[in-house]
Every structure is written in C-alpha cells, then in structure tokens.
Amino acid sequence: MAPTRSMMMDSPSDLNEFVMIQGNGVKGLYEMGLKTLPKQYIHPLEERMSMMTNKVVPQESIPIIDMSNNNNNCDVEDAICYAAEKWGFFQVINHGVPTQVLENVKDATYRFYELAAEEKVKYTKENSPTKHVRYGSSFSPEAEKALEWKDYLSLFYVSEDEAIATWPYACRNEALEYMKKSEALIKRLLNILMKRLNVKEIDEIKEAVLMGSKRINLNYYPVCPNHDLTVAIGRHSDVSTLTILLQDQTGGLFVRTEDRCGWIHVPPIPGALVINIGDALQIMSNGRYKSIEHRVTANGSKTRVSVPIFVNPRPSDVIGPFLEVLASDGEKAKYKNVLYSDYVKHFFRKAHDGKMTIEYAKIT
C-alpha cells in the first residue's frame, strides 16, 4: 500500500519505499497532488536558487556558436576554444544533428516516464538486468542530506547489440539514434579543442581516452510544490570529457559566473545543443579548458526534461595532463594521473558539492 501524504512527510523510510523501492520516483509524488514539499527535499538556504543567496546575472550569457559557418571555419574554431577556456559552456546551432532526432528523444523520455511504476522499477539498481541500465531518483540518496527533485534513466553504451537487448523498449531506438547522430559533432568539437592544445592528431589511443565510453541520461523534472525550497540538480561539474545536452523549452539550467559571484541562466534555444567541458578534459588540458559548476532549479508550474550525452574516457583509462600540453608551454602539471574509474567513484560516493571532485586529482 502506498504511504499517505502525512506518512511521507514524517517517515524517511516510507518516502524511500514509495519513491525508490516501488519505482514511483518524484513523478509519483507530484501525481499524488502533494501541496507541500516533503521535508526530505528541503535544501539549506544557501543551496537554493534564491535572490538573497544566489545572484542571477541577467546581462550575461554563454556563447552561441553557429557550426554551419563554413566560410569562416577559423572563426568557429576560435569561438569554441575561447568558450571552452573562459566559460566552460556554450550552445551550438546548425550542428548537424537533425531536429527530428532531438524531438524524438524528448518524446521517448516522456514515454518512458509514463510507464507504470511496476515497469520502471525493473530498471532500478536492485532489479536491473544489467549495471549499464539504471533508473533512479535524486543523485546519491545514500549520501545526500537533502534529496534532489529529479528522476533519471541512465544508459551506459557498450555496444548496439547490448543496448538493443537491455535498454527499455520505450526509449531505446530514439536514444541510440540521438547518440549516433551526435557522433560527428562530438568528433568535430574534440578535433578543434585538441588542435588548440598542440595535439596534432587524435590517434586511436587519444580517441579512446577522450571518448572511449558514453552514457546517455533521460532526466525528468516534474512540477514541484514549494519549488523555491529545493533543487532539481545541485551545484556540480561533470566528470566527463564533454557533455552534449539537449534541453526542452522550460528553462532552469544555470552556470556559475567566472568570478563565482553569481549564476547565469542558459536559455533554451529551439534546435540548439548545450556543450560543456567536463573535469576529465580540464585535467587533460592541464586546466586550460574549464569545467564549470552548474545547477538546475525546480519548477512550480511546468515539467522539464533534458537528455545529456556524457562523453567519457573508458573506466580503465588513466587520465592526466597531455604531454603535448606540458611540452608546448613548458608548464608544470597541475593534476596527477588518476584511474578514471576511481575518479568517477569518488564523484558518486558523495552529494553534489560544486567543484570539490577535481581536488581529488590536483597536485598539492
């Protein structure tokens, strides 16, 4: 039997049973018609997107880069590298991924979350037939003092055959197509970024380290009561090489300003993709390219979906500053060599905490 509203307000175990173990997610809480946010989701004031504690800077925006500017390819390359160095975030338009592919994967996200809880629960950590498919809620519930208002389906890509056999049918084909159609964009971005680092060629070894594994998430953020008391995703930087993010038109993604004194909204642009540098590329570039803190706010009136592709090293790869970077500038390494799987485990064993994960790799 599902817990009553009052039970969930008072009992963490009943809330966990309903949201996590039964597979209802926060979507299930919203569908119950809760008018008051359960206390387990209330975040400290300093973590909320409040004008009192977190200043929004409306006059600034991350760069928007037109990838179709073939007559001035150097301008495109300069814009991408500048954005990676200064902002760590940028949006791309005319990027080559068909609009219909983007619309299809958003539709598939809704289709998965419209499944009954008894279907979705088949993919939780306890029930999933493979560790490469994971349905869950919040970020790291075991480590968090306050939960995040988000459900997710995480799909780690091993091979097309494995994906066809194990990914949920409701979204499998659309997620695979989005990954395939993004491949050329990912390679183009990495080639541009590597050239600026004095890496003349991305050989098989470099390609494996830069993009040897991929993960796609289907994120779902239902309407939230008392949305100003919680967060959808807390402050963090990604552990990826690059993240390719498709967001819908709802809005809610914010990135930290360069001076760390405020936050900039990343406005949804129809057909655009948001690109951000991850910790792995900050480490490999010896800090030249920046992974930046970002967060997502909860929404009190509209459901939001987003679909990021995380482009990562392989778990077995050792990452550190590229020798070409150190040789070209004669600078000392700022980061030690770390096993990528250890770095990722460090990220996931704690709550979101801004840029603290990268301290794990810093040379002190």
Side-chain angles (χ1 to χ4, degrees):
M1 183 181 74
T4 65
R5 298 179 192 183
S6 60
M7 285 168 63
M8 285 193 296
M9 296 294 283
D10 297 329
S11 171
S13 61
D14 284 328
L15 182 82
N16 182 65
E17 171 77 23
F18 180 77
V19 173
M20 308 287 183
I21 298 174
Q22 294 180 11
N24 291 286
V26 291
K27 181 175 185 285
L29 293 179
Y30 162 67
E31 290 173 342
M32 288 181 69
L34 291 179
K35 303 299 183 185
T36 304
L37 190 71
K39 62 184 179 183
Q40 293 87 346
Y41 290 92
I42 297 177
H43 282 246
L45 181 61
E46 64 271 14
E47 295 299 333
R48 303 175 201 165
M49 205 63 199
S50 162
M51 291 301 292
M52 294 173 57
T53 56
N54 287 290
K55 182 178 69 173
V56 177
V57 186
Q59 67 271 23
E60 289 202 63
S61 62
I62 66 170
I64 300 167
I65 301 171
D66 187 345
M67 299 288 287
S68 69
N69 193 353
N70 294 322
N71 294 328
N72 293 290
N73 196 48
C74 287
D75 290 347
V76 173
E77 293 183 3
D78 287 344
I80 288 169
C81 293
Y82 173 78
E85 292 174 0
K86 176 178 172 61
W87 295 97
F89 264 83
F90 53 98
Q91 297 204 62
V92 292
I93 57 175
N94 298 316
H95 41 66
V97 184
T99 300
Q100 194 57 56
V101 171
L102 303 181
E103 293 303 313
N104 288 346
V105 77
K106 284 189 286 188
D107 290 344
T109 301
Y110 277 103
R111 191 160 55 245
F112 173 78
Y113 286 101
E114 285 163 3
L115 294 175
E118 51 264 31
E119 286 298 313
K120 290 181 288 190
V121 80
K122 294 176 182 177
Y123 300 101
T124 60
K125 180 180 180 180
E126 294 76 18
N127 301 321
S128 181
T130 168
K131 64 181 181 180
H132 298 143
V133 178
R134 181 71 49 80
Y135 163 66
S137 191
S138 195
F139 171 66
S140 182
E142 299 83 4
E144 291 166 329
K145 294 180 180 177
L147 299 172
E148 298 177 349
W149 193 262
K150 179 190 84 165
D151 296 330
Y152 67 88
L153 176 69
S154 186
L155 306 167
F156 186 88
Y157 181 81
V158 175
S159 69
E160 185 160 351
D161 287 345
E162 201 254 9
I164 289 171
T166 61
W167 290 12
Y169 177 76
C171 56
R172 177 189 68 205
N173 294 338
E174 294 80 5
L176 278 171
E177 187 69 3
Y178 175 38
M179 291 188 74
K180 287 180 193 174
K181 295 298 185 182
S182 300
E183 186 86 3
L185 170 63
I186 292 165
K187 288 185 175 180
R188 184 181 177 193
L189 290 170
L190 286 174
N191 273 296
I192 291 169
L193 292 166
M194 288 303 102
K195 190 162 68 171
R196 190 61 58 94
L197 294 180
N198 205 37
V199 176
K200 303 300 185 185
E201 177 190 4
I202 300 181
D203 56 19
E204 287 186 10
I205 295 174
K206 283 280 196 308
E207 182 171 307
V209 172
L210 289 165
M211 54 179 295
S213 70
K214 294 188 186 72
R215 179 165 58 89
I216 182 169
N217 272 23
L218 307 185
N219 295 330
Y220 188 91
Y221 312 88
V223 176
C224 179
N226 310 125
H227 65 281
D228 54 333
L229 300 182
T230 191
V231 301
I233 303 181
R235 301 176 299 111
H236 72 289
S237 59
D238 293 345
V239 294
S240 57
T241 301
L242 288 179
T243 301
I244 316 297
L245 173 70
L246 170 63
Q247 59 172 344
D248 67 10
Q249 296 304 298
T250 306
L253 171 63
F254 289 81
V255 301
R256 179 79 87 172
T257 55
E258 188 177 19
D259 62 8
R260 297 184 54 80
C261 291
W263 295 87
I264 301 168
H265 186 236
V266 181
I269 298 173
L273 291 168
V274 180
I275 312 297
N276 67 275
I277 306 301
D279 288 358
L281 187 52
Q282 177 170 327
I283 291 167
M284 289 186 274
S285 69
N286 204 37
R288 183 175 301 181
Y289 299 140
K290 306 292 193 302
S291 66
I292 300 297
E293 272 185 79
H294 51 287
R295 65 197 307 172
V296 177
T297 57
N299 193 297
S301 59
K302 194 173 182 182
T303 291
R304 177 180 187 264
V305 297
S306 69
V307 189
I309 297 174
F310 301 100
V311 182
N312 307 311
R314 296 168 303 186
S316 59
D317 284 322
V318 173
I319 61 170
F322 284 144
L323 295 179
E324 293 92 334
V325 178
L326 301 179
S328 64
D329 292 338
E331 62 183 87
K332 293 183 178 179
K334 298 174 183 175
Y335 304 96
K336 58 191 175 185
N337 292 334
V338 295
L339 181 65
Y340 186 64
S341 61
D342 287 345
Y343 190 86
V344 172
K345 287 173 186 173
H346 179 66
F347 176 69
F348 280 103
R349 70 167 59 105
K350 56 189 176 57
H352 280 141
D353 56 1
K355 283 279 292 178
M356 291 304 296
T357 306
I358 207 159
E359 298 296 320
Y360 179 82
K362 274 188 178 178
I363 295 176
T364 56

